[in-house]
Amino acid sequence: MKALITDPFINGRSLEPKESNLFVQTNPANEEDFAEVQAAGLGELEIAIEGAQQAFEKVWSQCTPNQRADTLFAIARAIRNDKDTLARWETQNIGKPFQDARDEIELGARIFEYYAGAVGKYFGHTIPVSRKGLNMTLREPLGVVGAIVPWNFPFPIACWKVAPALAAGNTVILKPSSLSPLTALSLGQLAIEAGLPPGILQVVPGRGGLIGEAMTKHPLVKKISFTGSTQSGARIMELAAPGIKRISLELGGKSPNIVFADADLDQAAAESPLSVFANAGQDCCARSRVFVEDSVFDEFVERFIASTREIRVDDPTLAATQIGPMISKNQRDNAETFIQGARDAGRTIACGGDRPFERGFFLNPTVILEPETNDPCWKDEIFGPVVCIRRFKDEDAMLKEVNDTPYGLSGSIWTNHLNRALRVARKVESGVLSINTHSSVHIEAPFGGYKQSGIGRDLGMHALDGYSEVKNIFIAES
Ligand code: NAD
């Protein structure tokens, strides 16, 4: 890869915007500005969309499946070759511990490989119908797809939208968050170096309210694949309505972590803290509401706090660091407001609640014990390293509380009783559940939310349904 790209990457090259509008990139670990990225204006967006439409009609839709698959495999190799550089930029840009950043870049490469392999395995069907003849379905690409992504897992989320969209034969306009544009711009350049023809993947940093909204309204953009807050998702749905635009939305969460008395408490207490504190709690799947069965409450909480105190919060470039800073001062202020609210209401802050360093947007992992169910820290998505723990005695009453939220993205259940695990898993209103683990994201399996956590599914073969139309053809037989 050549140098860091800081202009919109359109039609195979950096395009300097007509009007300068800089996003200053601040390293959240030391609060120092280290790069400036030019936001695209509406003019550059128009060039990107027109170019993507041309590339769709003249190039990508004319390629054979093998040519598409080979290109996606080549992009995966290019990503892997530049893993360390990409990971360093991610760490500098958003404060993610370097090892986590490396794992996420590797995940991005694997996602491209998965969808390269999927190109020839995604097809229509022949269907017996009641008239004499042959009925078949075709899977056809939509055209230009807009992918709008957040800052918390910028690279893997960009990859899990771009790769299936390209595999299904679409061209893509990728809009990263203004807080984390660097690896998205690099992906655009790497794809070109790997042999993807110009125009097929355009990368346009820009403000959500300008570029994101203009993309959503644009008649040539046939689908918006969005990950971000529920509030922005609702706005996209509204803007997409007049054109009946296809949308998929991956939104916020307030996921439960349910610990029964018969669980392996050692494992549950050892693994649960990082299920909410990893990525400084800035994770849509964060298990931020813990429900612990009464008879083991004290024991579990003691072990949970002991494990939490062992977590190393430090400079994200150090190998031993498990949690780095939060993305920004605003994000930390927001988390601290929730903590202060809990303090003011007289709740027990069992650990954390303070900053480990004066410099950088760090916040120690914070455990709030037994808040009320209408406390903001229990109800709202905090998107920071803050967890609330409550006890339960009765399974049905606990499940009512678990489901008493507009969200339904993820969750964990800890029990060694198989029937209980399945019974409870069926009753939790959530798109993704893990039993005796916290693992939520698998490249091969669908990922997405119930209720206000979203519409549609990313990942797995399910994602391809969202990037194609089904055409039914019937041939009469005489
Ligand atoms: P955000 O909604 O502020 O921004 C996400 C993206 O949308 C950014 O690229 C932003 O520029 C753009 N955007 C903002 N307003 C827009 C608008 N009106 N029209 C079009 N685009 C717009 O979210 P964020 O702060 O970047 O990310 C945090 C949120 O994302 C949290 O709520 C988190 O739960 C959610 N998230 C969900 C998932 C998931 O898979 N469900 C994954 C990661 C993050």
Side-chain angles (χ1 to χ4, degrees):
M1 189 169 33
K2 294 175 212 137
L4 179 63
I5 300 279
T6 53
D7 282 329
F9 199 76
I10 296 172
N11 295 335
R13 64 187 183 86
S14 281
L15 181 71
E16 193 182 333
K18 276 217 168 99
E19 277 176 39
S20 173
N21 183 3
L22 291 171
F23 289 144
V24 176
Q25 304 299 308
T26 305
N27 181 338
N30 58 20
E31 303 183 32
E32 280 171 18
D33 298 342
F34 70 96
E36 288 176 335
V37 167
Q38 282 283 6
L42 292 177
E44 289 77 38
L45 179 66
E46 195 59 40
I47 295 171
I49 294 173
E50 291 283 348
Q53 177 66 24
Q54 292 289 318
F56 172 70
E57 287 172 17
K58 301 204 169 107
V59 185
W60 202 231
S61 63
Q62 307 301 313
C63 287
T64 64
N66 273 356
Q67 286 168 327
R68 289 209 301 273
D70 287 349
T71 310
L72 296 189
F73 276 123
I75 296 173
R77 281 194 297 277
I79 292 171
R80 203 167 272 125
N81 285 343
D82 272 319
K83 196 186 319 189
D84 283 351
T85 310
L86 291 164
R88 262 194 300 277
W89 284 334
E90 206 76 304
T91 294
Q92 208 174 4
N93 208 179
I94 55 178
K96 198 178 283 286
F98 179 68
Q99 192 49 49
D100 291 355
R102 259 187 126 250
D103 292 347
E104 288 176 23
I105 305 298
E106 172 62 24
L107 177 63
R110 286 189 182 274
I111 289 167
F112 269 93
E113 285 167 349
Y114 176 85
Y115 287 107
V119 168
K121 304 183 186 78
Y122 189 67
F123 38 72
H125 297 100
T126 55
I127 303 172
V129 293
S130 48
R131 299 278 300 269
K132 199 172 171 203
L134 176 67
N135 191 90
M136 61 186 159
T137 60
L138 304 180
R139 279 282 174 184
E140 294 189 334
L142 304 169
V144 180
V145 166
I148 304 180
V149 298
W151 49 263
N152 60 335
F153 296 101
F155 195 73
I157 294 177
C159 292
W160 79 47
K161 294 185 182 306
V162 171
L166 295 182
N170 306 281
T171 55
V172 181
I173 316 281
L174 170 62
K175 195 206 88 59
S177 162
S178 21
L179 295 173
S180 59
L182 300 183
T183 50
L185 288 164
S186 304
L187 179 63
Q189 187 190 17
L190 281 175
I192 289 289
E193 289 171 13
L196 187 74
I200 293 170
L201 173 59
Q202 317 274 45
V203 188
V204 287
R207 277 197 309 108
L210 183 73
I211 295 299
E213 294 203 2
M215 257 168 81
T216 307
K217 290 189 280 193
H218 201 291
L220 281 180
V221 176
K222 295 297 188 299
K223 161 159 187 164
I224 293 290
S225 176
F226 174 81
T227 298
S229 63
T230 295
Q231 194 187 11
S232 307
R235 175 74 180 139
I236 284 176
M237 213 167 169
E238 190 186 325
L239 294 172
I244 319 290
K245 184 153 301 186
R246 277 93 185 104
I247 52 170
S248 57
L249 305 173
E250 298 289 351
L251 309 174
K254 188 76 183 175
S255 297
N257 184 14
I258 305 167
V259 183
F260 284 97
D262 68 2
D264 178 337
L265 283 196
D266 284 336
Q267 199 197 347
E271 291 186 21
S272 290
L274 279 175
S275 78
V276 54
F277 299 135
N279 212 39
Q282 304 163 127
D283 180 351
C284 52
C285 291
R287 272 63 167 176
S288 51
R289 291 184 301 151
V290 187
F291 298 78
V292 186
E293 196 162 3
D294 189 48
S295 59
V296 294
F297 184 84
D298 291 342
E299 190 185 346
F300 177 83
V301 166
E302 193 180 313
R303 293 193 206 182
F304 185 101
I305 290 170
S307 308
T308 299
R309 290 210 164 106
E310 280 171 18
I311 294 174
R312 178 146 176 199
V313 184
D314 211 335
D315 174 350
T317 62
L318 300 175
T321 296
Q322 290 170 285
I323 300 184
M326 299 183 68
I327 180 84
S328 64
K329 181 179 178 307
N330 274 352
Q331 199 66 25
R332 184 181 57 187
D333 287 350
N334 181 55
E336 287 178 336
T337 304
F338 279 98
I339 297 169
Q340 192 53 46
R343 267 199 201 101
D344 293 345
R347 309 295 173 234
T348 305
I349 312 291
C351 75
D354 55 343
R355 303 175 181 180
F357 309 113
E358 274 183 24
R359 227 171 135 69
F361 308 126
F362 293 89
L363 181 61
N364 275 322
T366 303
V367 180
I368 303 174
L369 292 184
E370 306 208 67
E372 294 294 326
T373 51
N374 59 357
D375 282 358
C377 61
W378 180 259
K379 282 189 333 197
D380 301 339
E381 184 181 46
I382 299 178
F383 226 57
V386 183
V387 73
C388 294
I389 310 184
R390 277 173 60 83
R391 71 179 79 221
F392 72 90
K393 290 187 179 144
D394 172 73
E395 185 181 301
D396 286 341
M398 175 271 291
L399 278 166
K400 218 165 160 233
E401 255 180 44
V402 164
N403 289 330
D404 183 22
T405 169
Y407 297 115
L409 184 58
S410 194
S412 296
I413 301 164
W414 295 85
T415 174
N416 279 322
H417 192 302
L418 184 59
N419 282 346
R420 176 177 292 130
L422 282 178
R423 184 175 67 234
V424 172
R426 283 185 199 281
K427 289 183 182 164
V428 176
E429 295 165 357
S430 174
V432 178
L433 280 171
S434 329
I435 294 168
N436 296 333
T437 177
H438 292 302
S439 175
S440 290
V441 171
H442 310 274
I443 296 173
E444 308 78 1
F447 177 77
Y450 279 25
K451 304 195 282 187
Q452 291 182 28
S453 284
I455 293 176
R457 293 294 178 269
D458 279 331
L459 294 171
M461 298 300 277
H462 283 77
L464 295 166
D465 292 346
Y467 296 111
S468 56
E469 295 280 15
V470 190
K471 181 175 280 175
N472 195 65
I473 300 179
F474 176 71
I475 308 170
E477 192 179 332
S478 49

